[in-house]
């Protein structure tokens, strides 16, 4: 494992066209989670009593849009919801935060994407996801919103909408010279090979990296070697999120482990989405990659100390107070925090 050593590498920047627009376009899923807590999960065919249930707004697209907006970004979102109460609630939450939602598709023929989560008191869980309206986020719909692509400095995507739509959006964004960030979650092996050269930053975790490359990810050294397989496919920068260990940047200049701030985590749900939203804001503003990843790490370290996904995202004020403490050049200090 090695780090960047030369000054130019440590200040490595990603060129962002139309940075003065400073708008982030998030394309992705909007879900409502229905969470049921019980003493233990039921066996097949068994009925058990639940202790309580609640709704958690989420979906990777909505989480990332919300995180980016709270972190100070000008954010617009494209995706699909139903006309049911869950869809109405999702749009209300995003709009209240300041996300531009007017172009999100309302599909009266589909329910809003829903995840049914059964969780036991021992931490075990079973999850059933019904994509619903997310499956209608089509290439045609995205093409109809070309104006949002032209206004954006950065386009941020995940893989909870149809792959064809993700591919179409990336090609549309890159044809305009936009910065493209792909969070390959949930990971899949059938991403077209010609798509990778169009991605400026890809942000898998270890598991997702292993699915994408087939390579081992048990150690940081193995993660670096697997990340290099994505570079060979044409991706410009790989940022692997490693939880409490931080994030590993791998590109043609080398590899750099950006450490995480030590915290007592209570809920890691949505931490990756928080990371991606804040990373998009930082890069769109012209921040060097290393600093942008550090800022995203700090944001995620706040989110894991709060329960929920969308509801755990830090505000710009939260983030700035930490940034003043930890953004100095000696990043070993971050691990001591």
């Amino acid at each position: 494992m090695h780090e960047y050593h030369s000054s130019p590498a440590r200040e490595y920047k990603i060129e962002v066209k139309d940075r003065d627009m400073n708008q982030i376009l998030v394309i992705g899923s909007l879900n409502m989670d229905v969470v049921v807590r019980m003493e233990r999960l039921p066996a097949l065919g068994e009925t058990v009593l639940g202790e309580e249930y609640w709704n958690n707004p989420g979906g990777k697209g909505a989480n990332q849009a919300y995180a980016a907006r709270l972190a100070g970004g000008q954010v617009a979102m494209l995706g699909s919801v139903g006309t049911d109460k869950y869809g109405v609630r999702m749009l209300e939450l995003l709009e209240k935060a300041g996300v531009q939602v007017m172009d999100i598709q309302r599909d009266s023929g589909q329910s809003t994407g829903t995840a049914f989560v059964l969780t036991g008191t021992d931490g075990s869980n079973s999850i059933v996801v019904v994509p619903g309206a997310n499956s209608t986020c089509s290439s045609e719909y995205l093409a109809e919103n070309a104006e949002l692509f032209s206004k954006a400095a950065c386009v941020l995507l995940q893989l909870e909408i149809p792959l064809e739509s993700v591919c179409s959006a990336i090609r549309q964004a890159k044809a305009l010279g936009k910065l493209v960030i792909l969070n390959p979650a949930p990971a899949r092996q059938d991403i077209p090979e010609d798509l990778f050269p169009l991605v400026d930053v890809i942000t898998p975790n270890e598991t997702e990296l292993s699915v994408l490359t087939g390579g081992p990810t048990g150690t940081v050294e193995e993660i670096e070697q697997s990340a290099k397989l994505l570079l060979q496919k044409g991706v410009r920068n790989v940022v692997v999120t490693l939880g409490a260990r931080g994030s590993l940047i791998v590109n043609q200049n080398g590899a750099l482990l950006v450490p995480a701030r030590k915290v007592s985590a209570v809920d890691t749900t949505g931490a990756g989405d928080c990371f991606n939203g804040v990373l998009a804001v930082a890069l769109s503003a012209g921040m060097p990659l290393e600093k942008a990843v550090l800022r995203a790490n700090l944001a995620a370290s706040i989110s894991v100390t709060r329960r929920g996904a969308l509801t755990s995202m830090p505000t710009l004020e939260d983030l700035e107070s930490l940034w003043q403490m930890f953004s100095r050049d000696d990043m070993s200090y971050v691990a001591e925090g």
Side-chain angles (χ1 to χ4, degrees):
M1 177 62 206
H2 56 282
E3 291 190 357
Y4 297 134
H5 293 293
S6 66
S7 176
R10 292 189 68 84
E11 291 301 315
Y12 180 77
K13 288 189 177 182
I14 296 175
E15 187 62 33
V16 181
K17 184 180 179 181
D18 300 325
R19 184 180 300 144
D20 56 324
M21 295 178 179
N22 200 29
Q23 185 177 84
I24 297 156
L25 175 58
V26 180
I27 302 171
S29 58
L30 301 99
N31 289 336
M32 184 64 76
D33 296 348
V34 180
V35 185
V36 181
R37 182 162 62 195
M38 58 196 66
E39 183 175 350
R40 61 177 179 81
L41 300 186
L44 184 64
E46 182 185 15
T47 299
V48 300
L49 293 177
E51 297 177 355
E52 61 177 331
Y53 84 94
W54 62 92
N55 293 331
N56 275 342
K60 291 185 179 298
N63 288 343
Q64 292 179 18
Y66 196 87
R69 178 62 189 132
L70 262 60
Q74 299 301 312
V75 183
M77 185 173 180
L78 291 175
S80 300
V81 295
T83 55
D84 51 25
K85 64 179 181 180
Y86 289 158
V88 171
R89 179 62 176 153
M90 291 300 304
L91 296 181
E92 286 177 347
L93 286 168
L94 291 170
E95 187 171 25
K96 185 176 180 180
V99 176
Q100 180 181 324
V101 300
M102 66 182 68
D103 296 300
I104 291 177
Q105 184 171 242
R106 284 79 161 171
D107 189 335
S108 60
Q110 294 280 347
S111 62
T112 298
T114 310
F116 299 90
V117 184
L118 305 182
T119 178
T121 54
D122 61 354
S124 59
N125 64 70
S126 293
I127 303 173
V128 177
V129 178
V130 180
N134 290 313
S135 61
T136 68
C137 182
S138 65
S139 299
E140 292 76 18
Y141 155 69
L142 296 177
E144 291 169 1
N145 287 279
E147 185 178 353
L148 283 182
F149 283 82
S150 65
K151 289 181 178 178
C154 169
V155 178
L156 172 60
L157 306 104
Q158 323 78 34
L159 297 176
E160 287 188 332
I161 60 173
L163 180 59
E164 177 185 355
S165 301
V166 173
C167 295
S168 176
I170 289 177
R171 294 185 179 109
Q172 191 171 340
K174 213 60 201 172
L176 295 170
K178 306 301 182 179
L179 172 68
V180 173
I181 302 175
L182 175 62
N183 176 221
R188 50 194 301 167
Q189 297 176 318
D190 56 346
I191 298 176
E193 291 295 316
D194 65 342
L195 204 70
F196 290 104
L198 306 180
V199 176
D200 294 291
V201 184
I202 194 168
T203 59
N205 60 25
E206 301 110 301
T207 301
E208 292 154 358
L209 179 64
S210 181
V211 172
L212 288 170
T213 66
T217 56
T219 66
V220 175
E221 289 77 14
E222 289 176 341
I223 290 168
E224 180 182 344
Q225 293 307 310
S226 292
K228 287 180 178 178
L229 297 177
L230 292 179
L231 298 184
Q232 293 172 15
K233 291 176 179 287
V235 175
R236 291 171 175 78
N237 302 275
V238 183
V239 179
V240 188
T241 54
L242 305 175
R245 290 180 291 174
S247 301
L248 182 70
I249 301 171
V250 183
N251 58 29
Q252 296 299 337
N253 293 320
L256 176 67
L257 182 63
V258 181
R261 182 173 70 106
K262 291 182 179 179
V263 296
S264 297
V266 298
D267 187 355
T268 60
T269 307
D273 295 331
C274 177
F275 177 94
N276 279 276
V278 174
L279 180 69
V281 174
L283 291 177
S284 296
M287 189 174 288
L289 181 58
E290 175 189 347
K291 291 290 188 181
V293 170
L294 172 59
R295 191 171 176 88
N297 278 354
L298 290 175
S301 78
I302 298 172
S303 75
V304 299
T305 63
R306 303 170 177 175
R307 297 196 181 279
L310 184 147
T311 53
S312 72
M313 304 304 175
T315 64
L316 180 59
E317 183 179 4
D318 294 332
L319 189 51
E320 282 299 329
S321 62
L322 276 183
W323 185 246
Q324 297 304 317
M325 295 171 57
F326 295 113
S327 61
R328 69 194 200 190
D329 288 338
D330 177 17
M331 290 202 310
S332 62
Y333 179 69
V334 178
E336 298 167 7

